[in-house]
Amino acid sequence: MSRTGTILRVDLTEGKVEREPTSKYARDYIGGPGIGSRLIYDHVPPEVPGTDPRNMLTFNTGPLTGTLLGNKCDVTTKSPKIVNSPISTATFGGQFASEMKFAGYDSIVITGKAASPAYLFVENDRVEIRDASHLWGLDTEEVQVRIKQELKDPDVQVACIGPAGENQFVAAIILHDIQNAAGQGGVGAVMGSKNLKAVAVRGTKGLKVADPEKFMALWNRIWEEMKTGTLRAYVQTMNREQLSTHVDEYADMGMAQWGYGPDASFVIPKLKKEELQGEFDRRYRVGAIGCAFCPVQCQGNYDVPGVGSGGVACFVNLAMRFGVKNLDTKLHFKAAERMQKLGADTIEVTGITGWLMLLYQEGLITAADTDGVPMEWGSEEAIMTVVEKVCRQEGFGKFFAGGIARASEAVADGRGFHLAYHERNVSIPLTFWERGATLGGSGGTQLMQAATQYLWFHPPADRHGIYRLFAPIFGLSEEDTLKLTDEWLSEFSEKHTGNRDAWKPEEVDGKARYMWATENTISAADMAGRCDGMTTRTPHAGCSWDTEDTAAAIRAATGENCTTESLLEAIQRRRLLEVSYNILCERINGEVPEIPGALVRGSMEPIPDGPFQGQEWDDEASEQVGEDYCELRGCDPDTGVPTREALEKVGLKDLADKLEASESEDVHPAESPSTPVACPM
């Protein structure tokens, strides 16, 4: 019952609006990126580039979206950023997704290209393609205000792009409200390529759940955990400071990187009081904000005199500072807010900035190459110039329209190519985690990111940034709190792998199954339209909501017979479909990216300094974990290609046939040394 039963399809080229039932996808793909990926597979050939009008831009909800247990919006499309334009998904919170459900739609699917700037307005059964010429050029906050004024309704929910998306910068985001961003894959560039400035939605139809009693029992369980159980420290910390202060802990413990690239140091200058993220929060945080219906409100709202005000998610707080060698938290906030308003991914722009500063240091570029502004480490002028030029595609910023991989072949006549730290055009600014303490032995964060479908998720070593914050809430010493969080990790590991130590970075036995279980937890939440923040994505934060709980919630909300087994099968089906489609994209488009030397060195060389000096990647162990993961996902461990048996088991015989037919034309992409498993994102 919590489904609306309708997918809205809009062709901007023809100005045509159609509707189709969700039921043809719901059982096998649940919702969210599951349905989004199937729509791409069914309607967009692999050879279509990300910014081609034939590409689909899909906004997807899940069966829990619009209830007390979910408010996540998924954006699935073909990426213009990642090499060979594979399927890419990005998610954001707020109220946009719930408003879609209240208007009567499980998904909104957009194809074609408007003849001139336009925005889509959806109000229940009313669907209009409106002129947006007067909105083109506005930033992401201005356009939302203008649309609400124009429609004379402050409750209209808007997802939009800024100048970065209009200019089709491949790291452009889609922003909703002041801090909810679909940030990965270049989804904003796809929207800009369609001349679509915004999607505005207003719904008044409401939503019902099939079994209110069972549904509320699940909600009350979570509520009690938040009030008095293991979740209470997580909730109180997120509501108060959203875990942003753990960046200070990383700096203190040698788990952050000072500078850009494989030669950067793991020794961060001693932070002064005014340079601490915690101190910034105490001075300038004015409240907590977050998604509709959620009591946690996990994101921060700030007012910084002389800089401005706005909201940021915790990940943004980790994106800059150390990577460009500037510890001024006010400048960091200024840059992050500007990037959000211009509509660009802070992680990608940070990587570009660090790379340019490294080129300047090495004498490969001068101020003349960057419009007269020296790219000196930590320079505020340099940082803000990169932000403006790249997002607006002005001056040297035009080099970065296609991302850092393209730019590295052109800037400085290509001499900086092997200093660019990226994988398949996804920039890695290396401000934290990719190397360092979390990667000891075989199965650290880097392997998890390489092998699974998620570019980033909380690894077990994130406990280093949590236990100090949780200790006073639990009334324990820091040492005892660390023991407690480690015990939660061990319980999760034992449940899913049979090995209590599988979460530990140096452990090989059970590591792949640990990764597989964590990936399933996140994918289940994404497909259900639920935030994964309080799931076993982070067992070390006291979160116990697992895949079986998501299945139970779907049953209560929809009345459908969604079991844990059928949900896991749907996750497997989605994963294999995406991997197979992306391999077809590689084989048909055939672009074989050269691996930059920085990626090779950063992946293979020992840590140069700091508390973990000398630590290095364990090739043999990582290969074993990669093979184990492939077996779990039904892929050939040598190629990463899904097996016919695995595909047919989940009803994807047609994909198995297509993979076999394309094999003779296969252009085998060069393998990345940091990717022992050839599973495309």
Side-chain angles (χ1 to χ4, degrees):
M1 289 179 65
S2 63
R3 298 186 190 275
T4 70
T6 302
I7 295 173
L8 177 67
R9 297 188 60 173
V10 179
D11 185 331
L12 295 174
T13 301
E14 301 294 332
K16 185 164 49 176
V17 175
E18 297 177 319
R19 293 168 176 84
E20 65 175 308
T22 311
S23 56
K24 62 188 292 187
Y25 302 104
R27 184 183 68 84
D28 286 344
Y29 294 96
I30 309 297
I35 289 180
S37 294
R38 182 70 207 202
L39 286 165
I40 297 291
Y41 171 66
D42 284 348
H43 299 287
V44 186
E47 63 268 20
V48 171
T51 54
D52 191 291
R54 292 172 293 170
N55 189 14
M56 274 184 166
L57 180 67
T58 70
F59 292 84
N60 308 290
T61 70
L64 299 184
T65 306
T67 74
L68 290 174
L69 289 175
N71 205 344
K72 177 181 282 188
C73 186
D74 160 76
V75 181
T76 298
T77 188
K78 288 200 70 184
S79 174
K81 175 182 176 181
I82 304 172
V83 174
N84 291 311
S85 296
I87 289 175
S88 181
T89 67
T91 62
F92 64 93
Q95 187 165 327
F96 183 86
S98 292
E99 205 72 22
M100 282 176 55
K101 294 285 284 285
F102 300 157
Y105 304 104
D106 293 315
S107 295
I108 297 176
V109 178
I110 302 165
T111 56
K113 179 180 180 179
S116 59
Y119 76 92
L120 181 65
F121 176 46
V122 179
E123 184 180 28
N124 298 329
D125 297 333
R126 174 186 173 193
V127 181
E128 298 177 357
I129 300 171
R130 291 187 162 216
D131 177 57
S133 299
H134 59 300
L135 304 174
W136 208 251
L138 298 183
D139 71 35
T140 56
E141 290 189 12
E142 293 169 334
V143 69
Q144 294 183 73
V145 171
R146 291 281 291 275
I147 287 176
K148 292 183 179 191
Q149 291 174 341
E150 186 173 301
L151 297 174
K152 297 181 173 59
D153 188 347
D155 292 324
V156 168
Q157 302 300 315
V158 181
C160 64
I161 59 172
E166 295 172 0
N167 292 313
Q168 297 178 44
F169 172 41
V170 295
I173 65 173
I174 296 174
L175 194 81
H176 162 55
D177 208 335
I178 61 173
Q179 85 291 354
N180 300 295
Q184 294 297 314
V187 293
V190 175
M191 198 160 165
S193 73
K194 296 184 178 301
N195 267 340
L196 186 64
K197 180 66 176 176
V199 178
V201 182
R202 182 74 171 101
T204 58
K205 294 184 177 183
L207 203 64
K208 293 181 179 180
V209 297
D211 192 330
E213 185 176 345
K214 289 183 178 178
F215 186 88
M216 288 307 300
L218 287 164
W219 165 250
N220 288 331
R221 184 195 113 191
I222 295 177
W223 180 245
E224 288 303 316
E225 289 178 1
M226 287 192 287
K227 286 197 305 179
T228 59
T230 58
L231 267 178
R232 70 184 188 275
Y234 175 88
V235 171
Q236 291 179 39
T237 304
M238 292 296 279
N239 188 259
R240 184 180 66 241
E241 54 195 350
Q242 59 168 142
L243 298 183
S244 61
T245 56
H246 61 357
V247 69
D248 298 332
E249 308 297 338
Y250 296 139
D252 185 50
M253 300 174 71
M255 294 172 62
Q257 191 163 324
W258 185 245
Y260 176 90
D263 292 321
S265 172
F266 276 84
V267 179
I268 306 292
K270 185 67 176 178
L271 300 180
K272 302 174 184 176
K273 181 179 179 181
E274 64 271 16
E275 294 170 340
L276 295 169
Q277 184 65 40
E279 183 64 20
F280 180 85
D281 276 15
R282 283 186 285 273
R283 290 184 181 184
Y284 305 119
R285 185 180 171 102
V286 294
I289 52 179
C291 298
F293 324 132
C294 180
V296 179
Q297 299 297 286
C298 65
Q299 298 173 359
N301 192 9
Y302 298 89
D303 185 9
V304 184
V307 176
S309 60
V312 293
C314 63
F315 197 72
V316 175
N317 287 320
L318 306 173
M320 193 172 278
R321 296 180 70 196
F322 307 140
V324 296
K325 298 186 180 182
N326 187 304
L327 298 176
D328 184 349
T329 52
K330 290 176 68 174
L331 171 59
H332 154 73
F333 177 79
K334 176 182 177 180
E337 273 297 293
R338 190 63 186 146
M339 284 184 269
Q340 288 192 159
K341 289 181 178 179
L342 291 172
D345 176 17
T346 57
I347 308 301
E348 190 70 29
V349 177
T350 295
I352 290 170
T353 306
W355 180 64
L356 287 172
M357 289 178 172
L358 181 59
L359 294 188
Y360 186 83
Q361 171 192 294
E362 298 298 312
L364 297 176
I365 61 172
T366 67
D369 297 305
T370 47
D371 300 342
V373 178
M375 289 291 118
E376 297 174 340
W377 287 112
S379 163
E380 177 175 355
E381 182 185 21
I383 292 167
M384 298 310 297
T385 296
V386 173
V387 170
E388 294 290 335
K389 296 285 187 178
V390 168
C391 294
R392 296 189 180 280
Q393 292 294 284
E394 297 174 348
F396 70 88
K398 294 178 181 178
F399 284 112
F400 296 93
I404 194 167
R406 302 283 188 272
S408 66
E409 296 170 353
V411 174
D413 297 322
R415 289 175 294 156
F417 176 85
H418 285 292
L419 294 176
Y421 207 100
H422 70 90
E423 186 166 11
R424 289 171 289 173
N425 205 27
V426 177
S427 185
I428 306 172
L430 279 180
T431 53
F432 73 118
W433 278 343
E434 276 77 8
R435 299 167 72 200
T438 64
L439 299 183
S442 65
T445 310
Q446 194 174 32
L447 176 60
M448 291 184 179
Q449 293 179 170
T452 68
Q453 73 193 90
Y454 293 95
L455 177 64
W456 178 86
F457 60 83
H458 289 279
D462 189 29
R463 78 195 209 286
H464 288 293
I466 286 179
Y467 73 88
R468 292 182 179 179
L469 299 174
F470 284 9
I473 297 173
F474 285 126
L476 299 172
S477 66
E478 291 185 356
E479 181 181 1
D480 286 342
T481 305
L482 182 59
K483 290 179 181 178
L484 178 64
T485 58
D486 285 356
E487 176 59 25
W488 291 337
L489 282 162
S490 294
E491 290 173 358
F492 177 80
S493 297
E494 186 171 28
K495 172 184 175 181
H496 287 284
T497 75
N499 177 9
R500 287 176 57 82
D501 294 332
W503 64 272
K504 296 180 179 179
E506 68 276 5
E507 185 69 23
V508 175
D509 180 37
K511 178 66 66 182
R513 185 166 286 276
Y514 181 96
M515 293 158 50
W516 175 83
T518 306
E519 182 181 51
N520 288 339
T521 296
I522 303 170
S523 189
D526 284 352
M527 294 164 74
R530 169 176 167 73
C531 174
D532 54 57
M534 289 189 291
T535 70
T536 49
R537 169 181 182 161
T538 52
H540 48 290
C543 302
S544 61
W545 183 279
D546 214 338
T547 307
E548 65 268 20
D549 300 302
T550 300
I554 293 173
R555 288 197 301 275
T558 64
E560 299 164 1
N561 185 28
C562 180
T563 64
T564 304
E565 293 72 25
S566 66
L567 179 56
L568 288 170
E569 182 178 301
I571 292 167
Q572 179 81 337
R573 183 178 296 109
R574 171 206 167 187
R575 181 64 174 136
L576 290 176
L577 181 144
E578 290 174 348
V579 170
S580 299
Y581 181 88
N582 292 348
I583 288 171
L584 290 174
C585 290
E586 290 184 353
R587 290 177 175 177
I588 292 170
N589 296 317
E591 182 175 351
V592 184
E594 183 181 354
I595 300 169
L599 185 62
V600 177
R601 293 181 52 219
S603 303
M604 310 300 285
E605 293 183 357
I607 301 300
D609 58 15
F612 305 98
Q613 184 177 12
Q615 180 176 290
E616 57 186 328
W617 190 254
D618 186 331
D619 285 328
E620 182 178 346
S622 65
E623 183 176 352
Q624 181 61 57
V625 174
E627 290 178 357
D628 293 345
Y629 174 83
C630 272
E631 183 177 349
L632 287 166
R633 278 291 175 231
C635 297
D636 184 315
D638 294 325
T639 64
V641 177
T643 66
R644 173 172 285 278
E645 180 184 4
L647 289 167
E648 290 188 355
K649 186 176 181 180
V650 294
L652 295 175
K653 179 181 181 300
D654 58 327
L655 254 176
D657 293 340
K658 289 179 181 179
L659 283 173
E660 283 190 4
S662 68
E663 194 168 13
S664 61
E665 301 175 4
D666 186 6
V667 180
H668 295 280
E671 288 188 6
S672 164
S674 66
T675 311
V677 187
C679 291
M681 247 184 262

